[in-house]
Amino acid sequence: MPQDMEIDPEVLSIIQRAKRVTILTGAGVSAESGVATFRSYKEETKESLWSQYDPQKMASIEGFLKNPNRVWQWYQWRRSELKSKKPNDAHKAIAKWQQSKDQRVTLITQNVDGLHQAGGSKDVIELHGNIWSNHCLQCRAEYKGNTDGVEDVIECPKCGGQVRPSVVWFGEALPEKAWRDAESASYSCDVFLSVGTSSQVYPAAGLAALAKSQGATVIEVNPEPTESSVVDYFIVGRAGEVLINILNT
Ligand code: APR
């Protein structure tokens, strides 16, 4: 969809009339920064991660316990990949939108890359944790040491346990406060905007239905529309150009 894309005026006015907008983002929002997504659209996202790596081996507690160094090294590789990535137009547009005086804009993300914060967003609700943080698997103490270039799993200085990346792995519960905040932001919005997510991973993928159950209009931004039956309007396009368009219109 070209830069001078047209968003359906009816959809635009629903967005602009909203007092409370809740945005849920996924890997697609970081795609334009050159960050690989997990399951999708190839143009600028290279090969999606889960088409190259087994999520059960790399992103589960079982996988970590079976081979901690392999998992640790994979996250070190992802960190080294992310180091050079910059926030893109989508991140910056959301940050600008959050400063709106007329609308309360709440940002929930499934992304662990920290690019929303780098793009200027405040109060980001991180549902799946943050790849730049680490904590002990056993005593849960945060590990603040420098991990650059560390290839083997670090021993927790407090209890001798194994230090792991502070991201949510498959089968793990989401951070309690983040989930509670995400639920209440979904319950209490007029527009729920789902941007750059395949809406396949729960419970995050259930937030749109929560919002809809409270009367919100659910709008999806994705170059490859999902089949989600909860969505009222699909804006078929890339996050950067769509969000800039919403803000500039
Ligand atoms: N703009 C908007 N959307 C895009 C863009 C873009 N430029 N490029 C790709 N997309 C869309 C794809 O079409 C796809 O629907 O982004 C979506 C990315 O989907 P996934 O790769 O499945 O990522 P996500 O939905 O965030 O995954 C959810 O799954 O693997 C776990 O914990 C991980 O947080 C992640 C969760």
Short mmCIF file of all heavy atoms in Angstrom, two decimals, residues 139-172:
data_model
loop_
_atom_site.label_atom_id
_atom_site.label_comp_id
_atom_site.label_asym_id
_atom_site.label_seq_id
_atom_site.Cartn_x
_atom_site.Cartn_y
_atom_site.Cartn_z
N CYS A 139 15.79 -18.21 42.39
CA CYS A 139 15.39 -17.27 43.44
C CYS A 139 14.71 -16.03 42.86
O CYS A 139 14.25 -15.17 43.61
CB CYS A 139 16.58 -16.87 44.29
SG CYS A 139 17.72 -15.74 43.47
N ARG A 140 14.64 -15.91 41.50
CA ARG A 140 13.97 -14.81 40.81
C ARG A 140 14.63 -13.44 41.02
O ARG A 140 14.09 -12.42 40.59
CB ARG A 140 12.49 -14.74 41.18
CG ARG A 140 11.73 -16.06 40.94
CD ARG A 140 10.23 -15.85 40.86
NE ARG A 140 9.87 -15.01 39.72
CZ ARG A 140 9.83 -15.44 38.46
NH1 ARG A 140 10.18 -16.68 38.19
NH2 ARG A 140 9.49 -14.64 37.46
N ALA A 141 15.76 -13.43 41.67
CA ALA A 141 16.45 -12.14 41.85
C ALA A 141 16.86 -11.60 40.49
O ALA A 141 17.32 -12.36 39.63
CB ALA A 141 17.68 -12.33 42.73
N GLU A 142 16.69 -10.28 40.30
CA GLU A 142 17.11 -9.67 39.05
C GLU A 142 18.64 -9.73 38.96
O GLU A 142 19.33 -9.56 39.97
CB GLU A 142 16.66 -8.22 38.95
CG GLU A 142 16.95 -7.64 37.56
CD GLU A 142 16.50 -6.19 37.41
OE1 GLU A 142 15.92 -5.66 38.37
OE2 GLU A 142 16.78 -5.61 36.33
N TYR A 143 19.15 -10.03 37.79
CA TYR A 143 20.61 -10.05 37.61
C TYR A 143 21.01 -8.80 36.84
O TYR A 143 20.57 -8.60 35.71
CB TYR A 143 21.06 -11.29 36.84
CG TYR A 143 22.54 -11.32 36.59
CD1 TYR A 143 23.43 -11.70 37.60
CD2 TYR A 143 23.07 -10.92 35.36
CE1 TYR A 143 24.80 -11.69 37.39
CE2 TYR A 143 24.44 -10.90 35.15
CZ TYR A 143 25.30 -11.29 36.17
OH TYR A 143 26.66 -11.25 35.97
N LYS A 144 21.80 -7.95 37.48
CA LYS A 144 22.12 -6.66 36.85
C LYS A 144 23.51 -6.65 36.22
O LYS A 144 23.94 -5.64 35.66
CB LYS A 144 22.00 -5.55 37.90
CG LYS A 144 20.56 -5.36 38.41
CD LYS A 144 20.39 -3.96 39.04
CE LYS A 144 18.93 -3.70 39.37
NZ LYS A 144 18.58 -3.98 40.77
N GLY A 145 24.22 -7.77 36.28
CA GLY A 145 25.58 -7.79 35.75
C GLY A 145 25.60 -7.60 34.24
O GLY A 145 24.59 -7.80 33.56
N ASN A 146 26.77 -7.21 33.71
CA ASN A 146 26.92 -7.03 32.26
C ASN A 146 27.02 -8.41 31.61
O ASN A 146 27.84 -9.23 32.01
CB ASN A 146 28.19 -6.22 31.98
CG ASN A 146 28.41 -6.07 30.47
OD1 ASN A 146 27.68 -6.67 29.66
ND2 ASN A 146 29.42 -5.31 30.11
N THR A 147 26.19 -8.69 30.61
CA THR A 147 26.19 -10.03 30.00
C THR A 147 26.79 -10.02 28.59
O THR A 147 26.82 -11.04 27.92
CB THR A 147 24.73 -10.54 29.89
OG1 THR A 147 23.99 -9.60 29.10
CG2 THR A 147 24.10 -10.68 31.26
N ASP A 148 27.33 -8.87 28.17
CA ASP A 148 27.91 -8.79 26.83
C ASP A 148 28.97 -9.86 26.63
O ASP A 148 29.88 -9.99 27.45
CB ASP A 148 28.56 -7.41 26.61
CG ASP A 148 27.49 -6.33 26.39
OD1 ASP A 148 26.31 -6.72 26.39
OD2 ASP A 148 27.85 -5.15 26.28
N GLY A 149 28.81 -10.64 25.57
CA GLY A 149 29.82 -11.63 25.21
C GLY A 149 29.87 -12.84 26.11
O GLY A 149 30.72 -13.72 25.95
N VAL A 150 28.97 -12.93 27.07
CA VAL A 150 28.95 -14.09 27.98
C VAL A 150 28.25 -15.25 27.28
O VAL A 150 27.07 -15.15 26.94
CB VAL A 150 28.23 -13.75 29.31
CG1 VAL A 150 28.18 -14.99 30.21
CG2 VAL A 150 28.89 -12.59 30.01
N GLU A 151 28.98 -16.32 27.01
CA GLU A 151 28.43 -17.41 26.22
C GLU A 151 27.79 -18.51 27.05
O GLU A 151 26.93 -19.23 26.58
CB GLU A 151 29.54 -18.02 25.34
CG GLU A 151 29.87 -17.11 24.14
CD GLU A 151 28.59 -16.76 23.34
OE1 GLU A 151 27.88 -17.72 22.95
OE2 GLU A 151 28.25 -15.56 23.21
N ASP A 152 28.19 -18.65 28.30
CA ASP A 152 27.60 -19.71 29.13
C ASP A 152 26.67 -19.13 30.18
O ASP A 152 26.83 -17.99 30.60
CB ASP A 152 28.72 -20.51 29.82
CG ASP A 152 29.54 -21.27 28.78
OD1 ASP A 152 28.98 -21.51 27.67
OD2 ASP A 152 30.70 -21.59 29.06
N VAL A 153 25.72 -19.94 30.57
CA VAL A 153 24.73 -19.49 31.56
C VAL A 153 25.44 -19.01 32.81
O VAL A 153 26.39 -19.62 33.30
CB VAL A 153 23.75 -20.63 31.90
CG1 VAL A 153 22.96 -20.34 33.15
CG2 VAL A 153 22.79 -20.84 30.73
N ILE A 154 25.00 -17.88 33.31
CA ILE A 154 25.62 -17.25 34.49
C ILE A 154 25.03 -17.83 35.76
O ILE A 154 23.82 -18.13 35.82
CB ILE A 154 25.36 -15.73 34.43
CG1 ILE A 154 26.02 -15.13 33.17
CG2 ILE A 154 25.83 -15.02 35.69
CD1 ILE A 154 25.54 -13.73 32.85
N GLU A 155 25.87 -17.98 36.77
CA GLU A 155 25.40 -18.48 38.06
C GLU A 155 24.92 -17.30 38.89
O GLU A 155 25.59 -16.28 38.96
CB GLU A 155 26.55 -19.19 38.79
CG GLU A 155 26.08 -20.12 39.91
CD GLU A 155 27.30 -20.85 40.48
OE1 GLU A 155 27.77 -21.79 39.81
OE2 GLU A 155 27.77 -20.41 41.55
N CYS A 156 23.75 -17.44 39.48
CA CYS A 156 23.18 -16.35 40.27
C CYS A 156 24.06 -16.06 41.48
O CYS A 156 24.34 -16.97 42.27
CB CYS A 156 21.77 -16.73 40.74
SG CYS A 156 21.09 -15.59 41.96
N PRO A 157 24.54 -14.82 41.63
CA PRO A 157 25.42 -14.49 42.76
C PRO A 157 24.71 -14.63 44.10
O PRO A 157 25.35 -14.79 45.14
CB PRO A 157 25.79 -13.04 42.50
CG PRO A 157 24.86 -12.53 41.46
CD PRO A 157 24.27 -13.70 40.75
N LYS A 158 23.40 -14.66 44.10
CA LYS A 158 22.65 -14.75 45.37
C LYS A 158 22.46 -16.20 45.81
O LYS A 158 22.69 -16.53 46.97
CB LYS A 158 21.27 -14.09 45.21
CG LYS A 158 21.30 -12.58 45.19
CD LYS A 158 20.02 -12.01 45.85
CE LYS A 158 20.14 -10.51 46.10
NZ LYS A 158 20.16 -9.72 44.84
N CYS A 159 22.03 -17.08 44.84
CA CYS A 159 21.66 -18.43 45.28
C CYS A 159 22.38 -19.54 44.51
O CYS A 159 22.17 -20.71 44.78
CB CYS A 159 20.15 -18.62 45.15
SG CYS A 159 19.64 -18.91 43.44
N GLY A 160 23.18 -19.11 43.53
CA GLY A 160 23.89 -20.14 42.75
C GLY A 160 23.04 -20.74 41.65
O GLY A 160 23.46 -21.67 40.95
N GLY A 161 21.81 -20.21 41.50
CA GLY A 161 20.90 -20.72 40.46
C GLY A 161 21.32 -20.26 39.07
O GLY A 161 22.39 -19.67 38.88
N GLN A 162 20.45 -20.52 38.08
CA GLN A 162 20.77 -20.18 36.68
C GLN A 162 20.10 -18.87 36.28
O GLN A 162 18.89 -18.70 36.47
CB GLN A 162 20.29 -21.29 35.74
CG GLN A 162 21.00 -22.61 35.93
CD GLN A 162 20.21 -23.75 35.32
OE1 GLN A 162 19.01 -23.91 35.64
NE2 GLN A 162 20.83 -24.54 34.45
N VAL A 163 20.87 -17.97 35.73
CA VAL A 163 20.32 -16.69 35.25
C VAL A 163 19.73 -16.89 33.87
O VAL A 163 20.35 -17.53 33.01
CB VAL A 163 21.42 -15.60 35.25
CG1 VAL A 163 20.92 -14.33 34.56
CG2 VAL A 163 21.86 -15.30 36.68
N ARG A 164 18.52 -16.37 33.67
CA ARG A 164 17.83 -16.53 32.39
C ARG A 164 17.34 -15.17 31.89
O ARG A 164 17.20 -14.24 32.67
CB ARG A 164 16.60 -17.44 32.57
CG ARG A 164 15.69 -16.94 33.67
CD ARG A 164 14.30 -17.49 33.66
NE ARG A 164 13.52 -16.99 32.55
CZ ARG A 164 12.29 -17.41 32.30
NH1 ARG A 164 11.71 -18.32 33.08
NH2 ARG A 164 11.61 -16.93 31.27
N PRO A 165 17.05 -15.05 30.58
CA PRO A 165 16.49 -13.79 30.07
C PRO A 165 15.10 -13.57 30.67
O PRO A 165 14.35 -14.51 30.87
CB PRO A 165 16.40 -14.02 28.56
CG PRO A 165 17.13 -15.28 28.27
CD PRO A 165 17.22 -16.06 29.53
N SER A 166 14.75 -12.32 30.96
CA SER A 166 13.43 -12.01 31.57
C SER A 166 12.36 -11.85 30.50
O SER A 166 11.68 -10.81 30.41
CB SER A 166 13.55 -10.74 32.42
OG SER A 166 14.50 -10.92 33.44
N VAL A 167 12.22 -12.89 29.68
CA VAL A 167 11.14 -12.91 28.69
C VAL A 167 10.20 -14.04 29.07
O VAL A 167 10.60 -14.97 29.78
CB VAL A 167 11.68 -13.13 27.26
CG1 VAL A 167 12.59 -12.00 26.84
CG2 VAL A 167 12.39 -14.47 27.15
N VAL A 168 8.94 -13.94 28.64
CA VAL A 168 7.95 -14.97 28.98
C VAL A 168 8.05 -16.10 27.95
O VAL A 168 7.94 -15.85 26.75
CB VAL A 168 6.52 -14.39 28.99
CG1 VAL A 168 5.50 -15.47 29.27
CG2 VAL A 168 6.42 -13.26 30.02
N TRP A 169 8.28 -17.29 28.44
CA TRP A 169 8.39 -18.43 27.51
C TRP A 169 7.05 -19.14 27.39
O TRP A 169 6.15 -18.96 28.21
CB TRP A 169 9.45 -19.41 28.03
CG TRP A 169 10.86 -18.94 27.80
CD1 TRP A 169 11.30 -18.13 26.80
CD2 TRP A 169 12.02 -19.23 28.62
NE1 TRP A 169 12.65 -17.90 26.92
CE2 TRP A 169 13.12 -18.58 28.02
CE3 TRP A 169 12.23 -19.98 29.78
CZ2 TRP A 169 14.41 -18.65 28.55
CZ3 TRP A 169 13.52 -20.07 30.29
CH2 TRP A 169 14.59 -19.41 29.68
N PHE A 170 6.90 -19.92 26.33
CA PHE A 170 5.65 -20.67 26.13
C PHE A 170 5.35 -21.50 27.37
O PHE A 170 6.23 -22.10 27.96
CB PHE A 170 5.76 -21.56 24.89
CG PHE A 170 5.76 -20.77 23.61
CD1 PHE A 170 6.93 -20.53 22.93
CD2 PHE A 170 4.58 -20.25 23.11
CE1 PHE A 170 6.95 -19.76 21.76
CE2 PHE A 170 4.58 -19.48 21.96
CZ PHE A 170 5.76 -19.25 21.28
N GLY A 171 4.09 -21.45 27.77
CA GLY A 171 3.68 -22.23 28.94
C GLY A 171 3.86 -21.48 30.25
O GLY A 171 3.44 -21.96 31.30
N GLU A 172 4.50 -20.31 30.20
CA GLU A 172 4.71 -19.54 31.44
C GLU A 172 3.61 -18.48 31.60
O GLU A 172 3.07 -17.99 30.62
CB GLU A 172 6.08 -18.84 31.41
CG GLU A 172 7.25 -19.80 31.53
CD GLU A 172 8.56 -19.07 31.80
OE1 GLU A 172 8.85 -18.08 31.07
OE2 GLU A 172 9.26 -19.44 32.75
#
